Amino acid sequence: MAHASPDPIDALSGYWASLNEGRLPDRAMVDPSAIPSLLPLLLLTEFEQDPFRVRYRLTGTRVDEWNGMNIAGLYLDELRDEGDHGAIAKLMASYRQCHDSAAPVIDHYDWPARSGGFLTVRYGLFPLASNGIVRQCLGIEDYSSLPRLHDGVPLAW
């Protein structure tokens, strides 16, 4: 009988909660060596104000594979496309909620597949503070239910 791998969003949620007894942790509390299996799925973002923007600071290797490029250094709104069917707007609203509430947000977005239809990507956003103010977010995307990659390209993307 095959053993199901643990849900990566649940794993990151548990790790985040353990950092400061369930309260908003400081960015300095995050130790990547404590969560090595999650690193390929992680996104570290920073929040900017006036206007509110989300900038990707670091992205894991699986995130880069699924995006077809390294998005570190880019802003979420720069990834917006008419063909995204509102996925970027939904992500922006979730990041805003994470920032404003200083609480995790777990949700999903539907991304249009090249083969037609949509692929559902689950994600979790976990706020991080600096001097008590939410300034960053540790995010994770779960691609486990999506078609496998072939030569670095998603089969149905």
Side-chain angles (χ1 to χ4, degrees):
M1 178 156 119
H3 184 285
S5 54
D7 180 275
I9 296 172
D10 287 348
L12 186 59
S13 179
Y15 174 71
W16 181 88
S18 75
L19 294 175
N20 198 22
E21 300 174 353
R23 296 185 311 272
L24 177 65
D26 193 81
R27 164 63 179 93
M29 294 176 173
V30 176
D31 177 8
S33 69
I35 49 172
S37 66
L38 300 179
L39 295 179
L41 302 171
L42 296 183
L43 305 100
L44 180 65
T45 58
E46 64 186 9
F47 298 120
E48 294 183 6
Q49 302 299 324
D50 302 320
F52 181 81
R53 291 185 86 189
V54 176
R55 181 174 170 265
Y56 293 99
R57 301 259 331 247
L58 297 169
T59 55
T61 55
R62 292 278 292 155
V63 174
D64 294 345
E65 287 172 356
W66 276 101
N67 282 290
M69 65 179 176
N70 183 327
I71 59 173
L74 297 178
Y75 289 89
L76 176 59
D77 57 66
E78 292 177 322
L79 304 175
R80 183 170 285 140
D81 180 300
E82 310 81 49
D84 72 27
H85 293 271
I88 300 297
K90 182 171 186 178
L91 278 168
M92 183 64 84
S94 291
Y95 276 109
R96 184 71 192 216
Q97 179 185 347
C98 177
H99 173 271
D100 292 353
S101 69
V105 174
I106 297 172
D107 205 342
H108 72 278
Y109 62 86
D110 294 319
W111 193 259
R114 286 188 193 132
S115 59
F118 292 89
L119 300 173
T120 299
V121 179
R122 293 177 57 243
Y123 62 89
L125 306 176
F126 300 88
L128 300 170
S130 176
N131 297 322
I133 298 169
V134 177
R135 298 192 191 274
Q136 292 186 320
C137 175
L138 190 57
I140 189 165
E141 291 193 341
D142 180 6
Y143 308 113
S144 63
S145 67
L146 301 181
R148 289 186 320 214
L149 291 170
H150 177 68
D151 292 332
V153 178
L155 293 178
W157 212 239

